[in-house]
Amino acid sequence: MRVALLALRLMCLAWLWPVTQLNSSNFPNKRRHKELYVGENTKQKHGGRVDLKMKKLDSTKSLLIKSEQLLRIEDHDFAMRPGFGGSAIPVGIDVQVESIDSISEVNMDFTMTLYLRHYWQDDRLAFPSSNNKSRTFDSRLVKKIWVPDVFFVHSKRSFIHDTTMENIMLRVYPDGNILYSVRITVTALCSMDFSSFPLDTQNCSLELESYAYNENDLMLYWKNGNDSLRTDEIVLSQFFIEDFQPSFGLAFYSSTGWYNRLYINFILRRHIFFFMLQTYFPTMLMVMLSWVSFWIDRRAVPARVSLGITTVLTMSTIITGVSASMPQVSYVKAVDIYLWASFLFVFLSVIEYAAVNYFTTVEEMKKLKGAKIPTSFDANQAMVFDGCFHDNDIDLTSFTEVSSTPNTERNTQSRNSTVSAPTEGTRLRRKHPLKQNLSFIMSNSYMIDSYSRVIFPLAYLLFNIIYWSMYA
C-alpha cells in the first residue's frame, strides 16, 4: 500500500515538472512588460518627465561637476580676495559703450548701456590643460568665486540685463587669468551748466570705483590705456558727441581712505536747429508783428491795442513753455535773455502807442481850448471812434475869431521884423534844444510812429548781433 502511494506521488511530480519549466521561462518577459507599463504610467503621470533614478545622469551636469572639481572651488575660501595679506591685486577695466539711451535736462542725468569687462588673475582657479584652452561659464559659477565689487559713483539706478539669461560671462584661462564681462544699463548724475542753453556744451562723466577695497587691496586701471574705451556709432536727437575720453583719479573718504576711481568722460554739444524752429523763429516773428502797429493809423485804437495785447500774450506763452521743460535753476540762461529782451521790445511797442495816443489827445485838447466853442456845438459829433478830438473833424467856421491884443500884435511884428545882432555886452539866453525837441514831438505826436518804424528794427537788429556773437 505504501509502495503504491509513493509511486503515485512520483507520477504526479513527473507530470507537473514540464509545466513549471514553461512558466519560469515566460516570467522574465512578463516582468519586462510590467516595468514598461509602470514606466509609461509614470511618464504620463508626471507630464512626460522620467525619474532621474531610472535614467542615466545628465552629461551637462556631470560636466559642471567636473569643471568645479577641476577649478578646485570647494578647496578655497573665495570670500577673500586673491593674494590676501599681500600687495593690492590689479584689476584691469575696459568698456564698450553700446548706446546713450537718454539725456534729461530736468533731472540732470543720462542713461547709458555698456559692456563692462574686468581682467585679473586668481591662482586659485588655475588648472592643468594640454591644449591651453580657456573655459567659459555663465552667472551660475560667478556666484561661487571672488569677483571685483566695482560700482558706479553718483548712479541713480542700474541693472544687469537678464534676457534671456543674465548677460554675464566668465572666462577662466589655465594660468588663472580671468575675464569677467557684464552688460549693464546705468542712469547717472551729470552736473549740467545751463548758462548758455541752448547754445551750450555739457561735460558728463561715468565714474567707476571699488566699493569695499581701497587702494591697498585693489588697484583699478584702464587695461589698454586710451584704447580701453570703445564706442559704437551713437546718434542722439538733441546732442552731438564730440569726444569720449577715459581718465584716472583717486577718491578720498575720511573713514575708509583712498580709492582708485576710473572716469568715462564725454562731451555733448547741443543741436541748435530744434530750438531755432521751436523758440527763436517764433519769437522773432512776434517781435516783428508788434512793429505792424506803427503803420496803423493812430486813431485806430481797437486795432493797435488788440495787436499789442496779442503779441504780449504770445510771448508769455513761449516763455512759459520753455521754462516748463527746463530745471528750476537760480541763474539766467541764454534763452531767457533772448526771450525777455524780445518780450521787452513787444511791451515797448504797446507803451509807444499809449504815448502816441496820450500826446495826440493833449495836442487836440490844447487846440480846442484856444478857441471859443459855441453853445450849439455838439462834442459827440466831433469825436472819432478813439474818443479824442481832432481839429480836422470840427467845423471851426462858426467859431468867433479871437480879437488880436496889443501883445499879439507886438509878437507878430517882432516875428516879421528882422533879428538884429546882439550888441556888445548883451547877455545871451541859453537855449534848450532837448526840451524844444520834446515839445516839438509832443505837439506832433504822429512823428513818434515815424521814428519808431526805424528805431525799433535797428535796435532789435543790434541786439541780435550782440547776442549771437556772444553765444554762438
Side-chain angles (χ1 to χ4, degrees):
M1 188 67 181
R2 292 180 178 177
V3 175
L5 291 174
L6 182 61
L8 183 60
R9 289 178 180 177
L10 291 175
M11 291 177 61
C12 289
L13 291 174
W15 181 72
L16 292 174
W17 182 79
V19 177
T20 305
Q21 292 294 328
L22 181 62
N23 291 336
S24 63
S25 63
N26 292 334
F27 181 76
N29 292 333
K30 291 182 178 180
R31 184 175 183 179
R32 184 167 59 251
H33 291 320
K34 182 177 180 181
E35 290 177 354
L36 182 60
Y37 175 75
V38 172
E40 290 177 354
N41 288 343
T42 305
K43 188 181 295 186
Q44 293 176 359
K45 182 177 180 181
H46 295 282
R49 293 185 292 106
V50 180
D51 192 359
L52 292 177
K53 293 182 180 179
M54 303 177 63
K55 293 185 67 179
K56 207 175 197 180
L57 290 176
D58 191 2
S59 59
T60 57
K61 183 179 179 181
S62 62
L63 180 61
L64 182 61
I65 295 175
K66 290 179 181 178
S67 299
E68 293 182 1
Q69 293 175 353
L70 180 66
L71 298 176
R72 305 187 307 277
I73 291 179
E74 300 297 334
D75 299 341
H76 302 282
D77 183 12
F78 283 97
M80 311 298 291
R81 69 172 179 86
F84 178 75
S87 60
I89 174 175
V91 177
I93 299 290
D94 74 43
V95 173
Q96 181 174 349
V97 180
E98 181 181 355
S99 64
I100 297 179
D101 304 320
S102 64
I103 299 174
S104 175
E105 291 87 358
V106 177
N107 300 322
M108 287 194 181
D109 59 23
F110 64 91
T111 302
M112 178 185 293
T113 300
L114 52 89
Y115 297 93
L116 179 61
R117 303 184 181 97
H118 312 69
Y119 301 85
W120 75 95
Q121 186 173 8
D122 193 344
D123 295 332
R124 296 173 294 184
L125 296 177
F127 61 92
S129 176
S130 58
N131 52 13
N132 199 29
K133 287 186 176 180
S134 62
R135 294 201 172 211
T136 304
F137 306 94
D138 57 15
S139 60
R140 288 173 290 183
L141 188 64
V142 172
K143 300 175 182 178
K144 299 182 180 181
I145 66 171
W146 181 90
V147 293
D149 58 341
V150 175
F151 78 104
F152 297 99
V153 185
H154 306 309
S155 66
K156 297 183 178 180
R157 52 193 173 272
S158 61
F159 63 91
I160 298 176
H161 291 259
D162 55 0
T163 305
T164 56
M165 288 285 293
E166 282 188 306
N167 296 171
I168 296 177
M169 185 268 289
L170 181 71
R171 182 171 295 170
V172 182
Y173 294 87
D175 58 354
N177 284 314
I178 300 173
L179 166 61
Y180 171 53
S181 177
V182 292
R183 182 169 175 254
I184 303 175
T185 294
V186 56
T187 300
L189 175 68
C190 178
S191 298
M192 301 182 183
D193 181 15
F194 297 106
S195 300
S196 301
F197 178 88
L199 304 167
D200 57 335
T201 300
Q202 302 295 340
N203 296 319
C204 298
S205 64
L206 184 64
E207 305 172 7
L208 294 83
E209 184 182 307
S210 173
Y211 189 83
Y213 300 99
N214 57 23
E215 63 173 355
N216 297 324
D217 292 322
L218 190 145
M219 182 183 68
L220 282 179
Y221 69 97
W222 290 110
K223 173 74 173 173
N224 301 312
N226 292 335
D227 296 333
S228 301
L229 181 60
R230 294 182 293 272
T231 61
D232 296 337
E233 185 177 356
I234 301 175
V235 179
L236 301 176
S237 59
Q238 290 191 23
F239 292 93
F240 172 75
I241 302 176
E242 290 189 343
D243 188 25
F244 262 106
Q245 189 71 26
S247 61
F248 171 83
L250 291 173
F252 177 74
Y253 299 92
S254 59
S255 57
T256 54
W258 293 91
Y259 290 79
N260 297 122
R261 182 175 292 184
L262 303 181
Y263 299 87
I264 302 174
N265 304 308
F266 54 98
I267 301 175
L268 302 172
R269 181 167 54 85
R270 195 182 305 273
H271 294 304
I272 187 60
F273 188 70
F274 170 80
F275 295 94
M276 292 295 294
L277 292 178
Q278 297 294 324
T279 304
Y280 286 98
F281 285 159
T283 302
M284 293 178 185
L285 292 177
M286 287 300 104
V287 174
M288 289 187 286
L289 183 62
S290 67
W291 301 339
V292 176
S293 64
F294 303 151
W295 276 266
I296 299 177
D297 183 41
R298 55 197 173 115
R299 299 178 181 86
V301 176
R304 295 190 65 163
V305 170
S306 60
L307 180 61
I309 296 301
T310 301
T311 53
V312 168
L313 293 178
T314 305
M315 285 299 305
S316 301
T317 304
I318 295 175
I319 294 174
T320 304
V322 172
S323 301
S325 61
M326 293 297 299
Q328 305 300 320
V329 294
S330 59
Y331 50 85
V332 179
K333 302 180 289 292
V335 68
D336 294 335
I337 296 176
Y338 194 88
L339 290 177
W340 283 104
S342 300
F343 182 84
L344 180 62
F345 275 93
V346 173
F347 181 76
L348 289 178
S349 66
V350 178
I351 299 301
E352 184 269 348
Y353 176 64
V356 170
N357 186 275
Y358 174 74
F359 292 150
T360 302
T361 304
V362 171
E363 176 188 357
E364 295 181 353
M365 291 302 293
K366 286 182 178 180
K367 291 181 180 179
L368 292 176
K369 289 179 180 180
K372 290 183 178 180
I373 303 178
T375 56
S376 61
F377 174 71
D378 187 3
N380 293 328
Q381 297 177 359
M383 293 178 66
V384 292
F385 55 86
D386 60 349
C388 298
F389 293 101
H390 299 277
D391 49 357
N392 295 330
D393 302 316
I394 303 175
D395 187 10
L396 300 178
T397 56
S398 60
F399 288 87
T400 58
E401 185 177 357
V402 181
S403 59
S404 60
T405 60
N407 291 333
T408 57
E409 293 178 355
R410 190 182 304 110
N411 291 335
T412 304
Q413 293 176 1
S414 62
R415 283 195 300 267
N416 294 332
S417 63
T418 58
V419 180
S420 60
T423 59
E424 187 178 354
T426 303
R427 181 175 297 179
L428 297 177
R429 181 176 296 177
R430 186 177 181 181
K431 296 182 179 180
H432 300 279
L434 180 61
K435 187 176 181 180
Q436 292 178 357
N437 292 334
L438 183 60
S439 301
F440 178 75
I441 293 175
M442 291 180 64
S443 59
N444 300 274
S445 57
Y446 66 92
M447 297 185 63
I448 299 178
D449 282 340
S450 301
Y451 288 141
S452 298
R453 295 169 189 172
V454 178
I455 294 175
F456 273 74
L458 289 180
Y460 193 66
L461 178 62
L462 179 62
F463 164 73
N464 276 272
I465 293 174
I466 297 174
Y467 178 85
W468 294 107
S469 62
M470 288 179 59
Y471 293 102

